[in-house]
Amino acid sequence: MLRNYIKVAFRNLRRNKLYASLNILGLSIGLGSFFIIYLFLQNELAYDQFHEKKDRIYRLVQTFESDFGVEKEANMSYAFSPEFVESIPGIEAFSRVIQKPVPFSFNEDSEGESGIGALIVDPEFLDFFTIDYIYGTNETVLEAPNSVLISESTAVRFYGTSDALGQVINYNKANYVVDGVFRDLPSSSSIKGDVIMLNEIIHARYGQGSWSWNVGAQCYLLLDENAIISDLKEKLTQHYTSNNEWAKGKKLTLQPISDVHYSLDVKDEVNEKTDRQYVSIFAFVAIFILASSIFNYISLSVSQSIERAKEIGVRKVAGASSRELRKQFIIESLLHVLISFVLSMILVELLIPQLEVLVERNLGISVLAQPMLLLQGIMFASLIALVCSFYPTYLSTKLKVVQVFKNGKGIFSSQRLIGAIGIFQIMVFVVLICVSVTANRQMRFMRNENLGFDKDHQLVLENMPWRTREVHKNELLKLPGVLSVSSGSQLPNDVGSSVSIEGQDYDFSFFEIDDDYFQTLGVRLLEGRDFLPEDVDSANLVMINATAAHKLGYDENTAVGKTLSPSSSWRIIGVVSDFHFASKKELIKPVIFKQVIEGSPSNQFLVKLDGANWAVSTKRVLDYYNDIPNLREPSYFFFEDRIESQYKQENVMITMLNTFTVIAALVAFIGLFGIAGYSVKRRLKEMGIRKVLGAGFLSIQKTLNVSSVWKLLIAVAIAVPVVVYWMDNWLSSFAYRIEMPVFLIFGAIAVASIVIFITVSIHSIKAYLINPVEILKDE
């Protein structure tokens, strides 16, 4: 009997090639997209979940109020140490974690490898972070003062084997012995490194450290099982403020390790972060795509059921039971979904590598290499098959044989369901178009509009010899196509220094620049003058931005000639316009500019090129740059690319959103095509009678399109509030944002209208061309 069901299923596939292809195509695209988003989100949500004690691991975060809102920072002073917190009850273990590249030498012949990521930690680090050892255990490693752990990939890379115990590596003229090898930390770890070494050895010269010295240390705590978080935060803050004169107005809070990956508002050394909003957005997109695919299948199956009414009637007359009919529909559904699942797995395997390139990290996902994941996919696809077959099966069991042979339809009255599916498809179509276009316009605004400086055709040369800075600067200016050259320690997107001003509750960002800095970047001078090479008292001269002038209680016109504070010797000689030296997700902050002094190790050059011949000019500059004797690690980039990197995460998410919006639109189009086909088939007899009575082409098109217009209006009424709420909520996370474009909603509606008109017209034109005799011959 099963063999017969399968035969009939394949026969129906061959008989209805168009609808079968649409069913399989829609399901395969929907399942493939759903699986890709699911696997991506699974990877995102798995961050730091592999630690056995993850529920008790917290990170210290320092918060304070400023004119720019609540500031959060996880890079703590070096004075935070195990000894500092040992008197506070509720803390079982404490470790500072410093992540940075270290130039190790792994054998006598090799020079320092600058790309090796190191984790510099305190001994208790091993007590609460889960490390998977190949050689060694928590009890045997890092016992000796000069011992280190290395990852398996590092051991294989430099020693050809994972058994690297006893090997000696060198850093800063000191030798360290490998006494443990661990498996590479998972890609879903916020803490990454290939070498683990002790903090007390690397920074021994600093003792317990100074509150003013910050090495970018993140402080992690393992709490007792009975610890009360609120009490612990209060005790930590009290202990912190009573021992640190710089901590006035600051508070300490505890962040679960599971939240570190999503803490975009916290300044730290964690490179891989994701906005939780994007997790929610992609979860909704995945559900939309899957739901659209399922509804497509149901609508297409019901549409086909009209043509199969007589087949079902004959089966019932021949003695087929409702149970047998259910089996037939379920097997057909399983066959469609099985083919779709196979195609979707091929799609996933092809697109996952592209996704890894896009997000620039190894997701460690391969469905075919993970049997359990593949089994879960098969089980999920089988569930989808049952869901897809439920409604057509229900209709077939309720079909009345007498009505089948009387009018050929039975009781396939499913207008309300099909209408609801059509409204859902149109709503998804409109929502995703609006979301995608709004997100793209916001990103374009952030990258290009009103940055306050000129980012185009700016070439940055790193590691320039600072002792001969002026010589190289003059030589570069002689090259054709070089408009201006500036040397300094900071670019607008790379500000790490700050200074405190007496009487101010907020630190000012600090730039060291030369006298050509503003000219090269095209920053406007609002009042006063720029730095001059002949300034004899340059150590006491500063320039500020407009925000800093307002913060100090001046305006642009009155700030010049004033000092930064009554006791400060720094005198303001000029005020420049505000520019975005950080992401537009953050407000512009006050900045102090100071002239780079002679002998300062500022080794970064900013070269402004002629835009007309920038390629030729770039080659001239790089030829000169690469010929500089004893140049350490040549490195250069275009400033525009670095600005783009500020929005790397947003760019990745927007690219993914665009891709899946196109996919969702395609799935919705397939669904609308099927629904339009069903609607036209249901009214074929009516159209035949109208045509016999003399109705013209336009009259028939109008009749068939009225219901589609109503569906469009209902879908728009639902979609518009969703779009406005959803996108306004997302845009509110940016300090500088676009307004919700009203024209966008009308544009999305226009696009949806055109798509609906095309899909309905394809079927209605086909119906109009059918001879009425063919439609009415059974009457």
Side-chain angles (χ1 to χ4, degrees), residues 462-492:
E462 296 187 300
N463 300 323
M464 291 289 287
W466 59 270
R467 296 182 186 279
T468 53
R469 179 171 51 236
E470 290 301 320
V471 173
H472 294 299
K473 179 177 178 179
N474 293 330
E475 290 298 320
L476 286 169
L477 285 170
K478 295 176 183 178
L479 297 176
V482 175
L483 303 180
S484 180
V485 179
S486 173
S487 64
S489 57
Q490 284 94 15
L491 291 173

mmCIF file of all heavy atoms in Angstrom, residues 462-492:
data_model
loop_
_atom_site.group_PDB
_atom_site.id
_atom_site.type_symbol
_atom_site.label_atom_id
_atom_site.label_comp_id
_atom_site.label_asym_id
_atom_site.label_seq_id
_atom_site.Cartn_x
_atom_site.Cartn_y
_atom_site.Cartn_z
ATOM 1 N N GLU A 462 51.730 53.811 8.841
ATOM 2 C CA GLU A 462 52.026 53.497 10.232
ATOM 3 C C GLU A 462 53.512 53.163 10.400
ATOM 4 O O GLU A 462 54.220 52.849 9.450
ATOM 5 C CB GLU A 462 51.167 52.329 10.710
ATOM 6 C CG GLU A 462 49.674 52.638 10.707
ATOM 7 C CD GLU A 462 48.861 51.542 11.349
ATOM 8 O OE1 GLU A 462 48.922 50.403 10.858
ATOM 9 O OE2 GLU A 462 48.163 51.820 12.343
ATOM 10 N N ASN A 463 53.945 53.217 11.662
ATOM 11 C CA ASN A 463 55.312 52.830 12.049
ATOM 12 C C ASN A 463 56.380 53.639 11.335
ATOM 13 O O ASN A 463 57.466 53.137 11.020
ATOM 14 C CB ASN A 463 55.543 51.324 11.801
ATOM 15 C CG ASN A 463 54.590 50.449 12.584
ATOM 16 O OD1 ASN A 463 54.246 50.766 13.722
ATOM 17 N ND2 ASN A 463 54.151 49.365 11.990
ATOM 18 N N MET A 464 56.088 54.902 11.062
ATOM 19 C CA MET A 464 57.092 55.781 10.463
ATOM 20 C C MET A 464 58.179 56.097 11.506
ATOM 21 O O MET A 464 57.885 56.217 12.708
ATOM 22 C CB MET A 464 56.444 57.077 9.995
ATOM 23 C CG MET A 464 55.524 56.918 8.811
ATOM 24 S SD MET A 464 56.393 56.579 7.269
ATOM 25 C CE MET A 464 57.106 58.184 6.913
ATOM 26 N N PRO A 465 59.432 56.238 11.086
ATOM 27 C CA PRO A 465 60.512 56.588 12.038
ATOM 28 C C PRO A 465 60.254 57.965 12.652
ATOM 29 O O PRO A 465 60.331 58.990 11.971
ATOM 30 C CB PRO A 465 61.764 56.591 11.159
ATOM 31 C CG PRO A 465 61.404 55.811 9.942
ATOM 32 C CD PRO A 465 59.947 56.042 9.726
ATOM 33 N N TRP A 466 59.946 58.011 13.925
ATOM 34 C CA TRP A 466 59.532 59.284 14.521
ATOM 35 C C TRP A 466 60.688 60.248 14.755
ATOM 36 O O TRP A 466 60.496 61.455 14.832
ATOM 37 C CB TRP A 466 58.771 59.038 15.822
ATOM 38 C CG TRP A 466 59.538 58.282 16.871
ATOM 39 C CD1 TRP A 466 59.576 56.929 17.029
ATOM 40 C CD2 TRP A 466 60.344 58.831 17.910
ATOM 41 N NE1 TRP A 466 60.373 56.587 18.102
ATOM 42 C CE2 TRP A 466 60.844 57.742 18.663
ATOM 43 C CE3 TRP A 466 60.702 60.130 18.286
ATOM 44 C CZ2 TRP A 466 61.685 57.913 19.763
ATOM 45 C CZ3 TRP A 466 61.535 60.309 19.379
ATOM 46 C CH2 TRP A 466 62.018 59.207 20.104
ATOM 47 N N ARG A 467 61.911 59.714 14.849
ATOM 48 C CA ARG A 467 63.050 60.614 15.077
ATOM 49 C C ARG A 467 63.329 61.485 13.854
ATOM 50 O O ARG A 467 63.901 62.562 13.975
ATOM 51 C CB ARG A 467 64.290 59.798 15.434
ATOM 52 C CG ARG A 467 64.155 59.042 16.744
ATOM 53 C CD ARG A 467 65.437 58.295 17.084
ATOM 54 N NE ARG A 467 65.285 57.444 18.252
ATOM 55 C CZ ARG A 467 65.352 57.863 19.513
ATOM 56 N NH1 ARG A 467 65.611 59.142 19.742
ATOM 57 N NH2 ARG A 467 65.166 57.030 20.508
ATOM 58 N N THR A 468 62.967 61.003 12.685
ATOM 59 C CA THR A 468 63.180 61.775 11.440
ATOM 60 C C THR A 468 61.834 62.157 10.822
ATOM 61 O O THR A 468 61.678 62.193 9.609
ATOM 62 C CB THR A 468 64.014 60.944 10.444
ATOM 63 O OG1 THR A 468 63.382 59.660 10.257
ATOM 64 C CG2 THR A 468 65.418 60.739 10.949
ATOM 65 N N ARG A 469 60.876 62.429 11.682
ATOM 66 C CA ARG A 469 59.507 62.710 11.243
ATOM 67 C C ARG A 469 59.449 63.879 10.263
ATOM 68 O O ARG A 469 58.834 63.788 9.198
ATOM 69 C CB ARG A 469 58.637 62.989 12.468
ATOM 70 C CG ARG A 469 57.193 63.319 12.134
ATOM 71 C CD ARG A 469 56.320 63.381 13.380
ATOM 72 N NE ARG A 469 56.881 64.239 14.403
ATOM 73 C CZ ARG A 469 57.140 63.856 15.658
ATOM 74 N NH1 ARG A 469 56.909 62.610 16.016
ATOM 75 N NH2 ARG A 469 57.641 64.695 16.540
ATOM 76 N N GLU A 470 60.081 64.974 10.602
ATOM 77 C CA GLU A 470 59.987 66.171 9.769
ATOM 78 C C GLU A 470 60.642 65.956 8.406
ATOM 79 O O GLU A 470 60.166 66.467 7.388
ATOM 80 C CB GLU A 470 60.622 67.360 10.486
ATOM 81 C CG GLU A 470 59.850 67.856 11.685
ATOM 82 C CD GLU A 470 58.436 68.280 11.320
ATOM 83 O OE1 GLU A 470 58.266 68.900 10.238
ATOM 84 O OE2 GLU A 470 57.509 67.993 12.093
ATOM 85 N N VAL A 471 61.721 65.197 8.376
ATOM 86 C CA VAL A 471 62.394 64.925 7.097
ATOM 87 C C VAL A 471 61.459 64.175 6.156
ATOM 88 O O VAL A 471 61.287 64.530 4.979
ATOM 89 C CB VAL A 471 63.688 64.111 7.331
ATOM 90 C CG1 VAL A 471 64.295 63.687 5.991
ATOM 91 C CG2 VAL A 471 64.682 64.920 8.153
ATOM 92 N N HIS A 472 60.831 63.114 6.666
ATOM 93 C CA HIS A 472 59.932 62.319 5.823
ATOM 94 C C HIS A 472 58.694 63.117 5.432
ATOM 95 O O HIS A 472 58.184 62.969 4.311
ATOM 96 C CB HIS A 472 59.525 61.042 6.559
ATOM 97 C CG HIS A 472 60.677 60.103 6.791
ATOM 98 N ND1 HIS A 472 61.406 59.549 5.764
ATOM 99 C CD2 HIS A 472 61.222 59.616 7.935
ATOM 100 C CE1 HIS A 472 62.349 58.762 6.249
ATOM 101 N NE2 HIS A 472 62.266 58.789 7.569
ATOM 102 N N LYS A 473 58.236 63.940 6.316
ATOM 103 C CA LYS A 473 57.066 64.754 6.000
ATOM 104 C C LYS A 473 57.365 65.694 4.838
ATOM 105 O O LYS A 473 56.571 65.822 3.891
ATOM 106 C CB LYS A 473 56.643 65.545 7.242
ATOM 107 C CG LYS A 473 55.440 66.440 7.032
ATOM 108 C CD LYS A 473 55.044 67.134 8.329
ATOM 109 C CE LYS A 473 53.867 68.066 8.124
ATOM 110 N NZ LYS A 473 53.441 68.730 9.378
ATOM 111 N N ASN A 474 58.520 66.334 4.874
ATOM 112 C CA ASN A 474 58.907 67.254 3.800
ATOM 113 C C ASN A 474 59.107 66.526 2.478
ATOM 114 O O ASN A 474 58.755 67.043 1.414
ATOM 115 C CB ASN A 474 60.173 68.023 4.189
ATOM 116 C CG ASN A 474 59.932 68.981 5.343
ATOM 117 O OD1 ASN A 474 58.829 69.492 5.511
ATOM 118 N ND2 ASN A 474 60.965 69.223 6.156
ATOM 119 N N GLU A 475 59.683 65.318 2.541
ATOM 120 C CA GLU A 475 59.897 64.546 1.315
ATOM 121 C C GLU A 475 58.569 64.110 0.705
ATOM 122 O O GLU A 475 58.398 64.115 -0.520
ATOM 123 C CB GLU A 475 60.762 63.315 1.615
ATOM 124 C CG GLU A 475 62.210 63.642 1.945
ATOM 125 C CD GLU A 475 62.931 64.333 0.796
ATOM 126 O OE1 GLU A 475 62.707 63.927 -0.377
ATOM 127 O OE2 GLU A 475 63.680 65.290 1.059
ATOM 128 N N LEU A 476 57.617 63.719 1.532
ATOM 129 C CA LEU A 476 56.311 63.313 1.029
ATOM 130 C C LEU A 476 55.578 64.478 0.372
ATOM 131 O O LEU A 476 54.902 64.322 -0.644
ATOM 132 C CB LEU A 476 55.455 62.738 2.163
ATOM 133 C CG LEU A 476 55.824 61.338 2.654
ATOM 134 C CD1 LEU A 476 55.095 60.995 3.944
ATOM 135 C CD2 LEU A 476 55.491 60.292 1.574
ATOM 136 N N LEU A 477 55.739 65.680 0.931
ATOM 137 C CA LEU A 477 55.075 66.848 0.379
ATOM 138 C C LEU A 477 55.615 67.218 -1.005
ATOM 139 O O LEU A 477 54.936 67.900 -1.781
ATOM 140 C CB LEU A 477 55.233 68.040 1.327
ATOM 141 C CG LEU A 477 54.362 67.998 2.596
ATOM 142 C CD1 LEU A 477 54.792 69.093 3.567
ATOM 143 C CD2 LEU A 477 52.891 68.154 2.234
ATOM 144 N N LYS A 478 56.814 66.754 -1.317
ATOM 145 C CA LYS A 478 57.396 67.045 -2.630
ATOM 146 C C LYS A 478 56.825 66.147 -3.727
ATOM 147 O O LYS A 478 56.967 66.453 -4.913
ATOM 148 C CB LYS A 478 58.917 66.860 -2.584
ATOM 149 C CG LYS A 478 59.640 67.842 -1.672
ATOM 150 C CD LYS A 478 61.125 67.527 -1.622
ATOM 151 C CE LYS A 478 61.868 68.458 -0.662
ATOM 152 N NZ LYS A 478 63.316 68.116 -0.585
ATOM 153 N N LEU A 479 56.186 65.042 -3.342
ATOM 154 C CA LEU A 479 55.668 64.091 -4.330
ATOM 155 C C LEU A 479 54.457 64.667 -5.038
ATOM 156 O O LEU A 479 53.563 65.233 -4.398
ATOM 157 C CB LEU A 479 55.290 62.770 -3.657
ATOM 158 C CG LEU A 479 56.425 61.993 -2.985
ATOM 159 C CD1 LEU A 479 55.876 60.755 -2.288
ATOM 160 C CD2 LEU A 479 57.485 61.598 -4.021
ATOM 161 N N PRO A 480 54.365 64.532 -6.370
ATOM 162 C CA PRO A 480 53.173 65.005 -7.099
ATOM 163 C C PRO A 480 51.923 64.275 -6.615
ATOM 164 O O PRO A 480 51.941 63.058 -6.408
ATOM 165 C CB PRO A 480 53.495 64.642 -8.559
ATOM 166 C CG PRO A 480 54.985 64.502 -8.607
ATOM 167 C CD PRO A 480 55.403 63.989 -7.274
ATOM 168 N N GLY A 481 50.853 65.001 -6.443
ATOM 169 C CA GLY A 481 49.603 64.392 -6.016
ATOM 170 C C GLY A 481 49.391 64.381 -4.516
ATOM 171 O O GLY A 481 48.303 64.042 -4.045
ATOM 172 N N VAL A 482 50.408 64.762 -3.739
ATOM 173 C CA VAL A 482 50.273 64.847 -2.283
ATOM 174 C C VAL A 482 49.889 66.282 -1.925
ATOM 175 O O VAL A 482 50.661 67.213 -2.151
ATOM 176 C CB VAL A 482 51.577 64.435 -1.565
ATOM 177 C CG1 VAL A 482 51.436 64.649 -0.062
ATOM 178 C CG2 VAL A 482 51.902 62.976 -1.865
ATOM 179 N N LEU A 483 48.687 66.448 -1.369
ATOM 180 C CA LEU A 483 48.178 67.784 -1.060
ATOM 181 C C LEU A 483 48.585 68.251 0.325
ATOM 182 O O LEU A 483 48.819 69.441 0.533
ATOM 183 C CB LEU A 483 46.650 67.800 -1.171
ATOM 184 C CG LEU A 483 46.072 67.371 -2.526
ATOM 185 C CD1 LEU A 483 44.562 67.442 -2.493
ATOM 186 C CD2 LEU A 483 46.631 68.236 -3.649
ATOM 187 N N SER A 484 48.641 67.330 1.270
ATOM 188 C CA SER A 484 48.964 67.715 2.646
ATOM 189 C C SER A 484 49.404 66.478 3.404
ATOM 190 O O SER A 484 49.023 65.350 3.064
ATOM 191 C CB SER A 484 47.741 68.352 3.325
ATOM 192 O OG SER A 484 48.049 68.735 4.653
ATOM 193 N N VAL A 485 50.224 66.684 4.454
ATOM 194 C CA VAL A 485 50.705 65.581 5.284
ATOM 195 C C VAL A 485 50.635 66.022 6.739
ATOM 196 O O VAL A 485 51.013 67.147 7.079
ATOM 197 C CB VAL A 485 52.152 65.171 4.932
ATOM 198 C CG1 VAL A 485 52.629 64.036 5.843
ATOM 199 C CG2 VAL A 485 52.255 64.768 3.468
ATOM 200 N N SER A 486 50.146 65.128 7.592
ATOM 201 C CA SER A 486 50.091 65.414 9.021
ATOM 202 C C SER A 486 50.596 64.211 9.790
ATOM 203 O O SER A 486 50.353 63.060 9.415
ATOM 204 C CB SER A 486 48.650 65.733 9.448
ATOM 205 O OG SER A 486 48.563 65.847 10.851
ATOM 206 N N SER A 487 51.300 64.474 10.864
ATOM 207 C CA SER A 487 51.747 63.389 11.738
ATOM 208 C C SER A 487 51.184 63.635 13.125
ATOM 209 O O SER A 487 51.058 64.771 13.572
ATOM 210 C CB SER A 487 53.275 63.330 11.798
ATOM 211 O OG SER A 487 53.791 64.505 12.388
ATOM 212 N N GLY A 488 50.822 62.577 13.788
ATOM 213 C CA GLY A 488 50.263 62.700 15.130
ATOM 214 C C GLY A 488 50.050 61.333 15.733
ATOM 215 O O GLY A 488 50.407 60.311 15.146
ATOM 216 N N SER A 489 49.477 61.310 16.906
ATOM 217 C CA SER A 489 49.316 60.044 17.614
ATOM 218 C C SER A 489 47.913 59.473 17.509
ATOM 219 O O SER A 489 47.683 58.336 17.853
ATOM 220 C CB SER A 489 49.664 60.220 19.100
ATOM 221 O OG SER A 489 48.858 61.229 19.686
ATOM 222 N N GLN A 490 46.936 60.293 17.045
ATOM 223 C CA GLN A 490 45.566 59.812 16.972
ATOM 224 C C GLN A 490 44.891 60.198 15.664
ATOM 225 O O GLN A 490 45.069 61.313 15.166
ATOM 226 C CB GLN A 490 44.712 60.383 18.119
ATOM 227 C CG GLN A 490 44.935 59.743 19.461
ATOM 228 C CD GLN A 490 45.964 60.513 20.272
ATOM 229 O OE1 GLN A 490 46.286 61.650 19.950
ATOM 230 N NE2 GLN A 490 46.499 59.884 21.296
ATOM 231 N N LEU A 491 44.136 59.248 15.126
ATOM 232 C CA LEU A 491 43.200 59.545 14.061
ATOM 233 C C LEU A 491 41.827 59.773 14.696
ATOM 234 O O LEU A 491 41.590 59.361 15.834
ATOM 235 C CB LEU A 491 43.128 58.374 13.073
ATOM 236 C CG LEU A 491 44.374 58.128 12.221
ATOM 237 C CD1 LEU A 491 44.212 56.842 11.433
ATOM 238 C CD2 LEU A 491 44.613 59.294 11.277
ATOM 239 N N PRO A 492 40.907 60.410 13.960
ATOM 240 C CA PRO A 492 39.593 60.669 14.557
ATOM 241 C C PRO A 492 38.866 59.429 15.057
ATOM 242 O O PRO A 492 38.017 59.529 15.931
ATOM 243 C CB PRO A 492 38.829 61.321 13.395
ATOM 244 C CG PRO A 492 39.875 62.022 12.625
ATOM 245 C CD PRO A 492 41.078 61.119 12.688
#
